Amino acid sequence: MRAAVTDLHVHWLGRKDFASALALQEKIVAAKREDPSQLDELLLLEHEPVYTIGRTPDQSSLSATGRIRRGELGAAHLPHPLFAINRGGQATYHGPGQLMGYPIIDLRRCGHDLHKYLRWLEQLLIEVLAEYGIAATQREALTGVWVEDRKIASIGVGVRHWITMHGFALNVCGDLSPFNHIVPCGIDNVAMTSMEKETGAAFSVLDVEMAVEKVALEQIPNLRAAEEVLPASV
């Protein structure tokens, strides 16, 4: 585990199951709520195979076709466990070869601006991908990062008392076929891609983690540009 000398601590957690990572996020969020002076965190890791879905009554993205029969939960056909969690968005898959980033950031110090935070996450990943020669972009009205019409990174965040959790999933390498069991992020006919697939080169998740850490530490001041002073009573 490494921590940078800055007001953002970055930690590489290696391979971690989803439930343990979720519990760690919740612990840090609770501590930051209790003591707003605590530094912001960025957890970087890989997950064991898992599906997640956000806060939505529409479960259709859990079906490969996007159509679930009345009374069907939509998870029985999934080859890996499913977690319903407190983020926005539809179903997605996480697993080996995918770099997960969980920023736990107090947005009260960033202008109370969730929209700006989401765009900051996208831009961070775009800059990381550019370092590997991959021309990625944002797409209007679609959160995430894209290479042309192919999705290379998904973003889904939760916010409690203006403190963020969950975050991004960057497809680095490995098997993308688990996405075929769902409608990723609820987007019909979306093509998922990875750094490996786009370039034909071999990538290490740990190497990409180091690039994300470097860019995040460089770019955190841009998120802080709208910093607000917290009242003493918070």
Side-chain angles (χ1 to χ4, degrees):
M1 180 178 290
R2 300 191 301 278
V5 182
T6 180
D7 62 349
L8 176 69
H9 277 186
V10 184
H11 306 277
W12 168 241
L13 304 181
R15 183 79 64 85
K16 201 170 186 66
D17 68 272
F18 187 84
S20 296
L22 180 59
L24 178 58
Q25 289 185 78
E26 291 174 338
K27 179 180 178 180
I28 297 172
V29 169
K32 286 180 65 62
R33 184 186 176 195
E34 183 72 19
D35 178 7
S37 70
Q38 290 201 14
L39 300 182
D40 290 334
E41 308 273 356
L42 172 58
L43 309 180
L44 295 170
L45 62 150
E46 280 184 281
H47 277 314
E48 301 295 343
V50 66
Y51 293 93
T52 69
I53 189 167
R55 303 177 303 265
T56 173
D58 178 9
Q59 303 276 299
S60 61
S61 62
L62 292 173
S63 167
T65 64
R67 291 183 291 275
I68 297 178
R69 296 187 300 272
R70 182 182 299 276
E72 183 183 3
L73 292 177
H77 70 291
L78 297 178
H80 304 297
L82 171 69
F83 284 80
I85 56 175
N86 66 317
R87 62 160 173 82
Q90 293 283 347
T92 194
Y93 163 78
H94 304 310
Q98 191 181 70
L99 177 62
M100 302 299 303
Y102 293 146
I104 304 176
I105 292 176
D106 192 338
L107 293 183
R108 292 172 296 180
R109 298 189 180 277
C110 305
H112 293 82
D113 193 336
L114 180 59
H115 177 80
K116 178 180 179 179
Y117 171 66
L118 291 171
R119 305 292 80 80
W120 179 80
L121 285 178
E122 291 169 342
Q123 192 57 42
L124 184 156
L125 295 172
I126 288 169
E127 292 189 22
V128 168
L129 290 165
E131 294 194 3
Y132 293 93
I134 299 172
T137 62
Q138 298 164 314
R139 291 183 67 181
E140 186 175 357
L142 292 174
T143 299
V145 177
W146 305 76
V147 180
E148 297 178 351
D149 60 349
R150 302 176 296 280
K151 194 169 191 179
I152 197 167
S154 302
I155 293 174
V157 305
V159 179
R160 291 181 180 173
H161 305 280
W162 290 105
I163 300 170
T164 69
M165 59 187 298
H166 305 300
F168 64 81
L170 174 61
N171 300 330
V172 176
C173 56
D175 184 15
L176 296 176
S177 66
F179 283 106
N180 296 336
H181 295 273
I182 59 173
V183 179
C185 303
I187 304 173
D188 290 332
N189 300 315
V190 65
M192 302 301 293
T193 191
S194 67
M195 296 173 65
E196 179 182 74
K197 191 172 181 180
E198 288 299 318
T199 64
F203 288 98
S204 158
V205 171
L206 181 56
D207 286 343
V208 178
E209 178 274 334
M210 295 174 68
V212 169
E213 177 175 346
K214 178 179 75 72
V215 174
L217 294 174
E218 291 171 351
Q219 294 303 320
I220 191 67
N222 292 335
L223 186 61
R224 303 269 191 243
E227 181 173 345
E228 295 182 1
V229 177
L230 289 174
S233 60
V234 171

Short mmCIF file of all heavy atoms in Angstrom, two decimals, residues 170-206:
data_model
loop_
_atom_site.label_atom_id
_atom_site.label_comp_id
_atom_site.label_asym_id
_atom_site.label_seq_id
_atom_site.Cartn_x
_atom_site.Cartn_y
_atom_site.Cartn_z
N LEU A 170 -11.77 0.79 -15.42
CA LEU A 170 -11.05 0.92 -16.68
C LEU A 170 -10.67 -0.47 -17.17
O LEU A 170 -9.96 -1.22 -16.49
CB LEU A 170 -9.79 1.77 -16.47
CG LEU A 170 -8.83 1.89 -17.66
CD1 LEU A 170 -9.50 2.52 -18.86
CD2 LEU A 170 -7.58 2.69 -17.25
N ASN A 171 -11.14 -0.82 -18.36
CA ASN A 171 -10.83 -2.13 -18.94
C ASN A 171 -9.40 -2.11 -19.49
O ASN A 171 -9.13 -1.49 -20.51
CB ASN A 171 -11.81 -2.46 -20.06
CG ASN A 171 -13.25 -2.50 -19.57
OD1 ASN A 171 -13.52 -2.82 -18.42
ND2 ASN A 171 -14.18 -2.15 -20.46
N VAL A 172 -8.53 -2.82 -18.81
CA VAL A 172 -7.12 -2.85 -19.21
C VAL A 172 -6.84 -4.03 -20.12
O VAL A 172 -6.32 -3.87 -21.22
CB VAL A 172 -6.22 -2.91 -17.94
CG1 VAL A 172 -4.74 -3.03 -18.35
CG2 VAL A 172 -6.43 -1.67 -17.07
N CYS A 173 -7.17 -5.23 -19.67
CA CYS A 173 -6.86 -6.43 -20.43
C CYS A 173 -7.82 -7.54 -20.00
O CYS A 173 -8.69 -7.32 -19.16
CB CYS A 173 -5.41 -6.86 -20.17
SG CYS A 173 -5.02 -7.12 -18.42
N GLY A 174 -7.66 -8.71 -20.58
CA GLY A 174 -8.43 -9.86 -20.11
C GLY A 174 -9.76 -10.05 -20.81
O GLY A 174 -10.06 -9.42 -21.83
N ASP A 175 -10.56 -10.92 -20.23
CA ASP A 175 -11.79 -11.42 -20.83
C ASP A 175 -12.93 -10.41 -20.68
O ASP A 175 -13.29 -10.03 -19.56
CB ASP A 175 -12.16 -12.74 -20.15
CG ASP A 175 -13.37 -13.41 -20.76
OD1 ASP A 175 -13.78 -13.02 -21.88
OD2 ASP A 175 -13.92 -14.33 -20.11
N LEU A 176 -13.52 -10.00 -21.80
CA LEU A 176 -14.67 -9.09 -21.77
C LEU A 176 -15.99 -9.83 -21.93
O LEU A 176 -17.05 -9.21 -21.88
CB LEU A 176 -14.54 -8.05 -22.89
CG LEU A 176 -13.35 -7.09 -22.81
CD1 LEU A 176 -13.31 -6.20 -24.05
CD2 LEU A 176 -13.41 -6.24 -21.54
N SER A 177 -15.96 -11.16 -22.10
CA SER A 177 -17.19 -11.90 -22.39
C SER A 177 -18.23 -11.84 -21.26
O SER A 177 -19.43 -11.95 -21.56
CB SER A 177 -16.87 -13.36 -22.72
OG SER A 177 -16.34 -14.04 -21.60
N PRO A 178 -17.85 -11.65 -19.98
CA PRO A 178 -18.91 -11.53 -18.96
C PRO A 178 -19.88 -10.38 -19.21
O PRO A 178 -21.01 -10.41 -18.73
CB PRO A 178 -18.12 -11.34 -17.67
CG PRO A 178 -16.84 -12.06 -17.90
CD PRO A 178 -16.52 -11.76 -19.34
N PHE A 179 -19.45 -9.36 -19.97
CA PHE A 179 -20.37 -8.27 -20.31
C PHE A 179 -21.51 -8.76 -21.19
O PHE A 179 -22.56 -8.11 -21.26
CB PHE A 179 -19.62 -7.15 -21.04
CG PHE A 179 -18.78 -6.28 -20.15
CD1 PHE A 179 -17.40 -6.39 -20.14
CD2 PHE A 179 -19.37 -5.34 -19.32
CE1 PHE A 179 -16.62 -5.58 -19.32
CE2 PHE A 179 -18.61 -4.52 -18.50
CZ PHE A 179 -17.23 -4.64 -18.50
N ASN A 180 -21.32 -9.90 -21.87
CA ASN A 180 -22.34 -10.39 -22.79
C ASN A 180 -23.59 -10.88 -22.07
O ASN A 180 -24.63 -11.09 -22.71
CB ASN A 180 -21.78 -11.53 -23.64
CG ASN A 180 -20.65 -11.08 -24.54
OD1 ASN A 180 -20.52 -9.90 -24.87
ND2 ASN A 180 -19.78 -12.01 -24.92
N HIS A 181 -23.52 -11.08 -20.76
CA HIS A 181 -24.66 -11.57 -20.00
C HIS A 181 -25.59 -10.46 -19.53
O HIS A 181 -26.64 -10.73 -18.93
CB HIS A 181 -24.18 -12.36 -18.78
CG HIS A 181 -23.43 -13.61 -19.13
ND1 HIS A 181 -24.05 -14.82 -19.36
CD2 HIS A 181 -22.11 -13.83 -19.33
CE1 HIS A 181 -23.14 -15.73 -19.66
NE2 HIS A 181 -21.96 -15.15 -19.64
N ILE A 182 -25.20 -9.20 -19.79
CA ILE A 182 -26.00 -8.05 -19.35
C ILE A 182 -26.08 -7.03 -20.48
O ILE A 182 -25.49 -7.23 -21.55
CB ILE A 182 -25.36 -7.37 -18.10
CG1 ILE A 182 -23.93 -6.91 -18.42
CG2 ILE A 182 -25.38 -8.32 -16.90
CD1 ILE A 182 -23.28 -6.10 -17.31
N VAL A 183 -26.82 -5.96 -20.24
CA VAL A 183 -26.77 -4.78 -21.12
C VAL A 183 -25.90 -3.77 -20.38
O VAL A 183 -26.38 -3.09 -19.46
CB VAL A 183 -28.17 -4.21 -21.38
CG1 VAL A 183 -28.08 -2.97 -22.27
CG2 VAL A 183 -29.07 -5.26 -22.02
N PRO A 184 -24.61 -3.69 -20.70
CA PRO A 184 -23.70 -2.87 -19.90
C PRO A 184 -24.16 -1.42 -19.77
O PRO A 184 -24.41 -0.74 -20.76
CB PRO A 184 -22.37 -2.96 -20.67
CG PRO A 184 -22.47 -4.24 -21.42
CD PRO A 184 -23.92 -4.35 -21.81
N CYS A 185 -24.32 -0.99 -18.51
CA CYS A 185 -24.75 0.38 -18.21
C CYS A 185 -26.10 0.71 -18.81
O CYS A 185 -26.46 1.88 -18.93
CB CYS A 185 -23.70 1.39 -18.63
SG CYS A 185 -22.08 1.08 -17.88
N GLY A 186 -26.85 -0.32 -19.22
CA GLY A 186 -28.17 -0.10 -19.79
C GLY A 186 -28.16 0.48 -21.19
O GLY A 186 -29.19 0.95 -21.67
N ILE A 187 -27.02 0.42 -21.88
CA ILE A 187 -26.90 0.99 -23.23
C ILE A 187 -27.02 -0.13 -24.25
O ILE A 187 -26.15 -1.01 -24.32
CB ILE A 187 -25.57 1.74 -23.40
CG1 ILE A 187 -25.41 2.81 -22.32
CG2 ILE A 187 -25.48 2.36 -24.80
CD1 ILE A 187 -24.04 3.48 -22.32
N ASP A 188 -28.07 -0.12 -25.03
CA ASP A 188 -28.30 -1.18 -26.01
C ASP A 188 -27.17 -1.24 -27.04
O ASP A 188 -26.71 -0.20 -27.54
CB ASP A 188 -29.63 -0.96 -26.74
CG ASP A 188 -30.83 -1.21 -25.83
OD1 ASP A 188 -30.71 -2.02 -24.90
OD2 ASP A 188 -31.88 -0.58 -26.06
N ASN A 189 -26.75 -2.46 -27.35
CA ASN A 189 -25.77 -2.71 -28.42
C ASN A 189 -24.43 -2.01 -28.20
O ASN A 189 -23.71 -1.75 -29.16
CB ASN A 189 -26.35 -2.31 -29.78
CG ASN A 189 -27.62 -3.07 -30.12
OD1 ASN A 189 -27.69 -4.28 -29.93
ND2 ASN A 189 -28.63 -2.35 -30.60
N VAL A 190 -24.11 -1.70 -26.95
CA VAL A 190 -22.82 -1.07 -26.70
C VAL A 190 -21.70 -2.10 -26.88
O VAL A 190 -21.85 -3.28 -26.52
CB VAL A 190 -22.76 -0.46 -25.28
CG1 VAL A 190 -22.84 -1.54 -24.22
CG2 VAL A 190 -21.51 0.38 -25.11
N ALA A 191 -20.60 -1.67 -27.47
CA ALA A 191 -19.42 -2.52 -27.63
C ALA A 191 -18.42 -2.16 -26.55
O ALA A 191 -17.99 -1.01 -26.45
CB ALA A 191 -18.80 -2.33 -29.02
N MET A 192 -18.06 -3.15 -25.73
CA MET A 192 -17.07 -2.92 -24.69
C MET A 192 -15.68 -3.22 -25.27
O MET A 192 -15.50 -4.15 -26.06
CB MET A 192 -17.34 -3.82 -23.48
CG MET A 192 -18.71 -3.62 -22.87
SD MET A 192 -19.02 -1.93 -22.28
CE MET A 192 -17.84 -1.80 -20.93
N THR A 193 -14.71 -2.43 -24.86
CA THR A 193 -13.36 -2.63 -25.35
C THR A 193 -12.39 -2.47 -24.19
O THR A 193 -12.78 -2.19 -23.06
CB THR A 193 -13.04 -1.65 -26.49
OG1 THR A 193 -11.81 -2.04 -27.11
CG2 THR A 193 -12.94 -0.20 -26.00
N SER A 194 -11.11 -2.69 -24.48
CA SER A 194 -10.06 -2.59 -23.46
C SER A 194 -8.80 -2.01 -24.08
O SER A 194 -8.67 -1.91 -25.30
CB SER A 194 -9.76 -3.97 -22.88
OG SER A 194 -9.16 -4.81 -23.85
N MET A 195 -7.89 -1.62 -23.22
CA MET A 195 -6.61 -1.11 -23.70
C MET A 195 -5.89 -2.17 -24.54
O MET A 195 -5.33 -1.87 -25.59
CB MET A 195 -5.74 -0.68 -22.52
CG MET A 195 -6.32 0.47 -21.72
SD MET A 195 -5.40 0.85 -20.21
CE MET A 195 -3.83 1.41 -20.89
N GLU A 196 -5.93 -3.41 -24.11
CA GLU A 196 -5.32 -4.52 -24.83
C GLU A 196 -5.96 -4.70 -26.20
O GLU A 196 -5.28 -4.87 -27.22
CB GLU A 196 -5.45 -5.79 -24.00
CG GLU A 196 -4.89 -7.03 -24.63
CD GLU A 196 -5.10 -8.24 -23.74
OE1 GLU A 196 -6.26 -8.72 -23.66
OE2 GLU A 196 -4.13 -8.70 -23.12
N LYS A 197 -7.30 -4.65 -26.22
CA LYS A 197 -8.03 -4.87 -27.47
C LYS A 197 -7.79 -3.74 -28.46
O LYS A 197 -7.68 -3.97 -29.67
CB LYS A 197 -9.51 -5.02 -27.16
CG LYS A 197 -10.36 -5.51 -28.33
CD LYS A 197 -11.77 -5.82 -27.87
CE LYS A 197 -12.61 -6.34 -29.03
NZ LYS A 197 -14.01 -6.65 -28.59
N GLU A 198 -7.70 -2.53 -27.97
CA GLU A 198 -7.51 -1.38 -28.86
C GLU A 198 -6.12 -1.32 -29.46
O GLU A 198 -5.94 -0.83 -30.57
CB GLU A 198 -7.79 -0.08 -28.09
CG GLU A 198 -9.25 0.15 -27.77
CD GLU A 198 -10.12 0.26 -29.02
OE1 GLU A 198 -9.69 0.91 -29.99
OE2 GLU A 198 -11.23 -0.32 -29.01
N THR A 199 -5.13 -1.80 -28.75
CA THR A 199 -3.74 -1.64 -29.21
C THR A 199 -3.07 -2.93 -29.65
O THR A 199 -2.07 -2.89 -30.36
CB THR A 199 -2.87 -1.03 -28.09
OG1 THR A 199 -2.83 -1.95 -27.00
CG2 THR A 199 -3.46 0.30 -27.62
N GLY A 200 -3.59 -4.06 -29.20
CA GLY A 200 -2.93 -5.33 -29.48
C GLY A 200 -1.71 -5.56 -28.61
O GLY A 200 -1.00 -6.56 -28.79
N ALA A 201 -1.46 -4.67 -27.67
CA ALA A 201 -0.30 -4.78 -26.79
C ALA A 201 -0.70 -5.41 -25.46
O ALA A 201 -1.86 -5.39 -25.07
CB ALA A 201 0.30 -3.40 -26.55
N ALA A 202 0.30 -5.97 -24.78
CA ALA A 202 0.06 -6.54 -23.46
C ALA A 202 0.18 -5.45 -22.40
O ALA A 202 1.09 -4.61 -22.45
CB ALA A 202 1.07 -7.66 -23.18
N PHE A 203 -0.76 -5.45 -21.45
CA PHE A 203 -0.76 -4.44 -20.39
C PHE A 203 -0.83 -5.11 -19.03
O PHE A 203 -1.49 -6.14 -18.88
CB PHE A 203 -1.95 -3.49 -20.54
CG PHE A 203 -1.82 -2.54 -21.68
CD1 PHE A 203 -2.45 -2.81 -22.89
CD2 PHE A 203 -1.08 -1.37 -21.57
CE1 PHE A 203 -2.34 -1.94 -23.95
CE2 PHE A 203 -0.96 -0.50 -22.62
CZ PHE A 203 -1.59 -0.77 -23.82
N SER A 204 -0.18 -4.52 -18.07
CA SER A 204 -0.28 -4.93 -16.68
C SER A 204 -1.20 -3.96 -15.95
O SER A 204 -1.04 -2.74 -16.07
CB SER A 204 1.11 -4.92 -16.03
OG SER A 204 1.02 -4.82 -14.63
N VAL A 205 -2.16 -4.49 -15.19
CA VAL A 205 -3.04 -3.62 -14.42
C VAL A 205 -2.24 -2.78 -13.44
O VAL A 205 -2.53 -1.60 -13.22
CB VAL A 205 -4.12 -4.46 -13.69
CG1 VAL A 205 -4.91 -3.61 -12.71
CG2 VAL A 205 -5.06 -5.10 -14.70
N LEU A 206 -1.20 -3.37 -12.85
CA LEU A 206 -0.37 -2.63 -11.90
C LEU A 206 0.34 -1.46 -12.58
O LEU A 206 0.43 -0.36 -12.01
CB LEU A 206 0.65 -3.55 -11.24
CG LEU A 206 1.57 -2.91 -10.21
CD1 LEU A 206 0.78 -2.23 -9.10
CD2 LEU A 206 2.53 -3.94 -9.63
#
